[in-house]
Amino acid sequence: MGVAVALTLAFVALEAICGWFGRSLALLSDAGHNLADAAALGFSWYALRIAHKPSHHGMTFGYHRVGVLAALVNGVSLVVIALLIGWEAVSRMRYPEAPRGGLMIAVAIGGIAINLAIGLWLQRGAKHDLNIRSVSLHMFGDAVSALGVVVAGILVVTTGELLADPIVSLVIAGLILASSYGVLNESTTVLLEGTPAGTDMPSVIAAIRAVDGVLDVHDLHVWMVGPGVVACSCHIIVAEQSVREGQQVLRAVVDDLRRRFHITHTTVQVEVEGCDDNDMYCVAERSPRRRAAVSHRDRLGRNAGRVDDAEACRQHPSW
């Protein structure tokens, strides 16, 4: 990551200088985009290091969400840069300037090579880490925007069309906004403790109910603490049984959620009675096994009551 930061900063300096002297807004826009990427790489580098710090009394979950915060900052920076590029592009369309097309093509080709190399290298860790995925999207977006600069340079050289430079800059701004949406959406979902993307809650409920010994489940919550750390808490209803049997049911629920849904941190509360109707997921229709268990428990209660009354009458005839 440190090498990627150094390479990106060096290219930003080169591209900004060439864009200024070559009077190319497209090159300057791409330099701004690359500068945001350098900042994103720096944030991500720091987040990766800090996320490995152990948990303590003040941070019982550790520092897993530092990477999510870095991804959020990266996404917001992309939006700001896209708006600035769009503003300048509109100004250039009103008052066109003649850029140096050959310089645009040469520098942009170098940008494509560098951004693709860094993006592909980061892609190895992007699948399981939102922070790294946000940075890799930055790099691939830069490669696409650099390709647009090449196209603009070719049009300037071959046709002399001055509007090609600001038009490509607007396209770059649009690509930046599009690439930032997914990162912003996922990072805000994590920070709001929403259900992780790809988690099918009805399937989770069905899987818990299908565990042998579970009559029903309620007060269920699934959220992401940080990259690769998905947490779950729930209350399960079981029949009257020993503590050892209840613990076996609990372990079966935890193991099944880890194996089927990759939920790595599950807290389960075992109960033998129902829940209030206002509790989350309690408004859902009761499972058939729970209805049967409740009916059986009620019958046992009524029979026990009749037995107790008969015994009391035998012992106290005056009653």
Side-chain angles (χ1 to χ4, degrees):
M1 193 73 79
V3 173
V5 172
L7 282 174
T8 305
L9 285 175
F11 182 73
V12 165
L14 174 64
E15 192 172 31
I17 292 172
C18 293
W20 179 264
F21 287 103
R23 299 187 299 276
S24 172
L25 176 61
L27 278 180
L28 289 173
S29 301
D30 199 45
H33 193 186
N34 278 294
L35 181 61
D37 288 342
L41 286 167
F43 271 121
S44 300
W45 191 14
Y46 171 77
L48 287 172
R49 293 173 63 87
I50 202 72
H52 286 88
K53 291 180 63 176
S55 58
H56 52 80
H57 292 302
M59 299 287 289
T60 56
F61 266 117
Y63 293 84
H64 295 287
R65 283 196 174 168
V66 173
V68 179
L69 288 172
L72 180 63
V73 171
N74 293 341
V76 172
S77 69
L78 283 175
V79 173
V80 172
I81 289 174
L83 294 176
L84 291 175
I85 292 173
W87 179 272
E88 184 62 25
V90 171
S91 177
R92 285 287 184 97
M93 293 176 74
R94 294 174 60 190
Y95 307 103
E97 295 184 17
R100 296 171 59 181
L103 186 61
M104 292 172 59
I105 296 171
V107 175
I109 289 176
I112 292 173
I114 292 175
N115 288 313
L116 280 179
I118 296 175
L120 290 173
W121 176 63
L122 292 175
Q123 192 66 20
R124 293 179 299 175
K127 183 177 180 181
H128 304 291
D129 195 310
L130 172 62
N131 178 30
I132 298 179
R133 183 157 68 251
S134 70
V135 178
S136 66
L137 283 175
H138 271 271
M139 308 314 295
F140 288 131
D142 274 353
V144 174
S145 65
L147 179 61
V149 176
V150 172
V151 173
I154 293 174
L155 290 175
V156 169
V157 171
T158 57
T159 67
E161 180 56 66
L162 301 183
L163 290 180
D165 185 57
I167 289 174
V168 168
S169 299
L170 283 176
V171 173
I172 292 173
L175 290 173
I176 295 173
L177 286 176
S179 66
S180 66
Y181 173 78
V183 175
L184 288 173
N185 182 57
E186 190 167 353
S187 59
T188 51
T189 298
V190 173
L191 294 176
L192 292 174
E193 297 190 342
T195 305
T199 302
D200 185 1
M201 290 302 293
S203 297
V204 173
I205 296 171
I208 296 174
R209 285 175 172 171
V211 173
D212 189 29
V214 175
L215 303 177
D216 207 353
V217 58
H218 68 95
D219 202 17
L220 173 65
H221 307 276
V222 179
W223 71 99
M224 181 180 288
V225 177
V229 184
V230 180
C232 171
S233 68
C234 64
H235 296 200
I236 59 174
I237 311 298
V238 299
E240 290 282 357
Q241 56 190 266
S242 67
V243 174
R244 182 185 296 256
E245 292 171 332
Q247 290 299 310
Q248 290 175 346
V249 175
L250 185 152
R251 283 194 293 269
V253 170
V254 172
D255 292 341
D256 198 48
L257 291 178
R258 180 186 296 110
R259 177 177 53 84
R260 295 183 56 181
F261 302 99
H262 308 290
I263 298 175
T264 56
H265 188 94
T266 301
T267 303
V268 180
Q269 179 171 322
V270 180
E271 300 176 351
V272 293
E273 66 270 352
C275 61
D276 295 334
D277 291 336
N278 292 328
D279 286 349
M280 182 169 293
Y281 282 97
C282 281
V283 296
E285 182 180 357
R286 288 180 174 180
S287 64
R289 282 196 293 172
R290 183 180 175 187
R291 288 198 300 268
V294 172
S295 176
H296 177 65
R297 187 175 61 196
D298 291 343
R299 288 197 301 272
L300 288 177
R302 288 194 297 269
N303 291 337
R306 286 195 293 269
V307 171
D308 291 342
D309 291 343
E311 181 64 25
C313 288
R314 283 195 296 270
Q315 295 179 4
H316 303 279
S318 60
W319 291 5

